[in-house]
Amino acid sequence: MLISIASGKGGTGKTTLALLLASIHSDITLIDCDVEEPNCHLFLKPEWQDQGQEVAVMIPQINIELCNGCETCSTVCLFNAIAISGGAALLFNELCHSCGGCILACQQGAITEDKKLIGTITTGTSPIFPAIQFLSGSLDIGTPSAVPLIKAIKEKVSHLAGDILLDCPPGTSCSMVTAIKDSDFCILVTEPTPFGKHDLELAMNITHLLNIPTGVVINKSDENIGDESIESLCHIRQIPVLAKIPHSFSFAKEYAAGFIPDEFQAVAATIWSQLNAKGSEGI
Amino acid sequence: MKELVIVSGKGGTGKTSISAALAFLSPQKVLIDCDVDAANLHLVSGAIIRETHEFKAGFEPNVDENKCTSCGQCTDLCRFGAITAGVITTPFNCEGCGVCAFNCPEHAISMLEKQAGHWFLADTHLGQLIYAELGLSVENSGKLVSKVRQEGKKIAKAKKFPLMITDGPPGIGCPAIAALSGASLALAVVEPSLSSIHDLKRLVDLVAHFKIPLAVCINKSTLHRENTREIIAWCHSKAIPIMGQLPYSDAFRIAVQSGKTVLEMEDAAVIEEMTKLWHNLAKRLEVSITESNIGFFRRKLHIFQ
Ligand code: SF4
Ligand code: SF4
Ligand code: SF4
Ligand code: SF4
């Protein structure tokens, strides 16, 4: 089962939940898809298998010798990634989406393609949790789009059977959608504040659009007004609340120091039993 | 006009609460929320929307069925697997590149401008606020961020405000880059947790890449003293100034739950540290420190009581 862990708002505890769930499983693949700010490795302290695999996208290379400045390429590039300067085409590679449109359009054969590195995927196992097979993506600084890297890391595990957990990027934009796409189940982590609720609703819209069965976990729950408003939202949207993780200072403290506390293992176990029940129903 | 951008590698470090509190303390400012994925500042500032604007960006293909001969050319050329013989099968994959349209032998595809979201001008009890809502799963969050900034600057200019306070987006990708480029000062909010420290380091690299001055504010500094000390030492070694240290307090959560700023809660330690933070920032940005009008009138009222 491919389970993605997401949330509209950052910092609600996606990584915490991913680690909690992974830590009590007997055989699981955990993927850190939050490639802008990967964090899982800080807790797992894995032994990396090797240097990691570099991920590249193809971007155009303009041969100025052949270019006659006809502007065809800059016209077809809908991302404004090409400008004509000094009678020749000039590429702004941060804007390029690697669509290949300019190459098809150039009549002079002045454009070829070359690789541009955007990030790295590393694989490892943690001595603390040997049952976790761990993959982590890390986006190179200054690279605007994480989407190709997230696609590459998901590709790598697409053939795997068994349970796979994805720690997704926050938000509701293209990176988050790329990460949760094709998952069998999506857990949205939220916290019982108006911020959490507002952003949870946005995230629910996305899973609804993508047709992914969804459940909610309320983190930093205080059994109070905040919880109620989240629960009533879930009720209206007919999305189950899988579990609540109580607000706990001691947990926050251990977590800050880079440990996965044992405190909420029982909660994680109830989430797994619900997931497995859904899995056997064929979702 | 100075532009203060409050960022953090990861969300949930208290960016929005701190932005709101700084706005409360700053006398003349425009507020903008650049977290277009999940804007939150309007929720704690009692925002009343005055203007709603559509935001269009990017394109989407529209196939004319009558012209399409299902030749399959578009399927072969689309690198994102979004179209199959003239039918947009997976719209989520479409990047709007137009390759299908430009290369369709029948000219059956036209590229239409895409509705990518909305942006709003709102009045709040903290001042005027510009925020935005990105359409579901559309790209161009960077462009929408730029739009929000541009509108904020217009207001600041028209009203001759010396400061624009930006609640920045999380991460280090395109929205963060769009929010930071050309800012006067980036204030990174960091918590004394290993993950937050790790994120800070990546953020520092990003900010250096774009040559933007950076300062740090440690939130929940009392959560883990050793880590707090480590952040201080690390910042010191990198010559990054620390503008403030806010203690761990439930006041933040309660403030958000009651739709107020943390300064309106009765936590003296937080109020004191937050005020210090604002003083340091104001000095650094060379803008006037004087209390906000609200604070001023409140105090007057207290005298009458
Ligand atoms: S289309 Fe080819 S020849 Fe024309 S400007 Fe672009 S690169 Fe140069
Ligand atoms: S590959 Fe596509 S996005 Fe990149 S420059 Fe060419 S036309 Fe523009
Ligand atoms: S290339 Fe044009 S005619 Fe051919 S299948 Fe695509 S839309 Fe239809
Ligand atoms: S616009 Fe680009 S991504 Fe979208 S269907 Fe056409 S070729 Fe594919």
Side-chain angles (χ1 to χ4, degrees):
Chain A
M1 201 168 21
L2 182 62
I3 300 152
S4 52
I5 301 179
S7 76
K9 181 182 179 327
T12 51
K14 278 184 306 297
T15 304
T16 319
L17 184 68
L19 292 166
L20 271 176
L21 289 176
S23 68
I24 62 160
H25 200 288
S26 57
D27 177 18
I28 193 157
T29 310
L30 173 66
I31 305 173
D32 198 339
C33 271
D34 188 359
V35 300
E36 287 185 45
E37 304 290 1
N39 279 154
C40 287
H41 65 278
L42 297 171
F43 298 88
L44 295 174
K45 305 171 184 75
E47 282 157 8
W48 298 116
Q49 262 171 20
D50 44 41
Q51 290 295 309
Q53 171 202 340
E54 283 179 333
V55 177
V57 291
M58 297 303 276
I59 60 161
Q61 297 289 313
I62 297 159
N63 184 341
I64 304 182
E65 304 286 303
L66 296 176
C67 172
N68 64 8
C70 70
E71 299 189 7
T72 314
C73 54
S74 59
T75 318
V76 300
C77 180
L78 296 183
F79 305 106
N80 301 321
I82 303 183
I84 306 294
S85 127
L90 178 71
L91 178 79
F92 295 96
N93 57 31
E94 314 81 58
L95 297 175
C96 177
H97 283 229
S98 306
C99 70
C102 52
I103 302 160
L104 292 166
C106 178
Q107 301 298 319
Q108 308 299 320
I111 311 181
T112 50
E113 268 184 307
D114 205 3
K115 280 183 181 168
K116 178 192 162 202
L117 297 180
I118 56 160
T120 320
I121 300 173
T122 38
T123 315
T125 38
S126 162
I128 321 169
F129 301 100
I132 303 176
Q133 178 65 22
F134 178 56
L135 279 92
S136 178
S138 176
L139 189 70
D140 288 348
I141 306 283
T143 306
S145 174
V147 171
L149 181 57
I150 298 174
K151 277 188 187 158
I153 196 167
K154 287 184 74 176
E155 192 104 309
K156 257 182 103 90
V157 296
S158 57
H159 65 280
L160 291 181
D163 287 335
I164 304 174
L165 275 177
L166 292 176
D167 184 8
C168 298
T172 52
S173 64
C174 34
S175 344
M176 180 263 195
V177 172
T178 310
I180 67 168
K181 221 188 283 178
D182 313 317
S183 40
D184 298 309
F185 194 84
C186 181
I187 303 178
L188 296 174
V189 187
T190 187
E191 53 185 39
T193 63
F195 290 176
K197 184 185 171 200
H198 175 258
D199 300 344
L200 174 64
E201 222 175 329
L202 297 175
M204 283 175 169
N205 292 342
I206 298 270
T207 58
H208 179 74
L209 257 169
L210 290 173
N211 236 330
I212 302 174
T214 306
V216 166
V217 169
I218 304 178
N219 192 17
K220 301 176 200 162
S221 145
D222 59 359
E223 293 294 342
N224 220 323
I225 350 153
D227 280 16
E228 267 169 40
S229 80
I230 302 271
E231 277 163 328
S232 73
L233 171 68
C234 292
H235 184 75
I236 293 165
R237 305 288 293 251
Q238 295 182 319
I239 290 174
V241 176
L242 302 173
K244 293 181 181 185
I245 302 177
H247 181 67
S248 154
F249 185 76
S250 57
F251 186 91
K253 208 166 166 159
E254 274 202 64
Y255 189 78
F259 296 107
I260 308 168
D262 301 337
E263 207 172 325
F264 300 123
Q265 281 187 352
V267 181
T270 59
I271 296 175
W272 272 122
S273 64
Q274 292 175 71
L275 288 172
N276 291 333
K278 289 198 176 12
S280 53
E281 278 166 29
I283 308 188
Chain B
M1 202 263 307
K2 297 289 168 56
E3 225 184 312
L4 171 66
V5 185
I6 293 132
V7 282
S8 70
K10 180 154 290 181
T13 52
K15 249 182 318 106
T16 303
S17 300
I18 292 173
S19 305
L22 292 174
F24 187 90
L25 291 167
S26 152
Q28 286 184 310
K29 79 274 130 175
V30 180
L31 264 176
I32 65 172
D33 191 337
C34 281
D35 190 356
V36 296
D37 253 22
N40 282 155
L41 201 49
H42 62 287
L43 300 173
V44 278
S45 54
I48 297 164
I49 296 175
R50 297 294 182 205
E51 290 174 23
T52 303
H53 297 264
E54 281 191 354
F55 173 73
K56 289 201 166 135
F59 298 91
E60 56 191 348
N62 182 33
V63 186
D64 182 345
E65 286 168 26
N66 298 325
K67 286 190 187 161
C68 172
T69 57
S70 304
C71 70
Q73 172 87 333
C74 50
T75 321
D76 295 342
L77 293 179
C78 175
R79 290 191 173 179
F80 306 100
I83 190 166
T84 309
V87 182
I88 313 288
T89 34
T90 32
F92 273 118
N93 285 357
C94 177
E95 303 233 354
C97 65
V99 165
C100 53
F102 288 119
N103 295 286
C104 169
E106 308 298 328
H107 302 285
I109 306 179
S110 46
M111 297 301 288
L112 305 181
E113 244 192 298
K114 194 168 169 182
Q115 171 73 47
H118 291 93
W119 63 269
F120 312 94
L121 171 65
D123 280 331
T124 76
H125 70 250
L126 303 171
Q128 274 191 316
L129 167 73
I130 314 263
Y131 70 100
E133 227 174 67
L134 196 65
L136 284 184
S137 164
V138 271
E139 286 201 49
N140 291 306
S141 45
K143 280 191 194 150
L144 185 51
V145 166
S146 305
K147 179 76 193 164
V148 167
R149 272 182 77 186
Q150 195 189 337
E151 293 300 323
K153 279 185 193 164
K154 266 193 214 161
I155 294 180
K157 206 169 193 181
K159 301 208 164 175
K160 298 203 170 56
F161 283 167
L163 181 64
M164 181 157 97
I165 299 180
T166 306
D167 184 4
I172 57 162
C174 59
I177 294 171
L180 282 167
S181 62
S184 321
L185 181 67
L187 179 70
V189 178
V190 51
E191 287 174 10
S193 69
L194 284 190
S195 30
S196 191
I197 297 172
H198 177 256
D199 297 343
L200 172 69
K201 292 181 180 168
R202 281 170 70 83
L203 191 63
V204 167
D205 288 345
L206 180 77
V207 168
H209 190 91
F210 291 93
K211 301 191 176 61
I212 298 152
L214 176 83
V216 160
C217 165
I218 306 174
N219 193 14
K220 306 185 189 165
S221 63
T222 47
L223 181 66
H224 198 283
R225 303 264 182 203
E226 293 92 89
N227 284 349
T228 301
R229 274 196 287 276
E230 199 188 308
I231 298 173
I232 296 172
W234 187 80
C235 289
H236 198 75
S237 74
K238 297 271 167 186
I240 298 167
I242 295 178
M243 292 282 167
Q245 293 185 41
L246 306 167
Y248 183 94
S249 164
D250 258 356
F252 282 93
R253 203 160 46 96
I254 299 164
V256 170
Q257 272 166 352
S258 43
K260 289 188 175 142
T261 66
V262 68
L263 294 166
E264 293 156 277
M265 302 292 106
E266 266 141 38
D267 187 323
V270 172
I271 294 175
E272 191 189 325
E273 291 303 323
M274 192 66 86
T275 316
K276 258 194 223 160
L277 170 67
W278 164 243
H279 281 215
N280 289 339
L281 286 170
K283 220 183 276 166
R284 169 79 195 240
L285 290 162
E286 297 168 339
V287 295
S288 121
I289 292 178
T290 16
E291 289 188 287
S292 69
N293 296 337
I294 307 169
F296 180 73
F297 286 121
R298 284 244 168 96
R299 190 162 294 180
K300 285 268 156 159
L301 279 174
H302 275 297
I303 295 170
F304 286 120
Q305 280 165 5

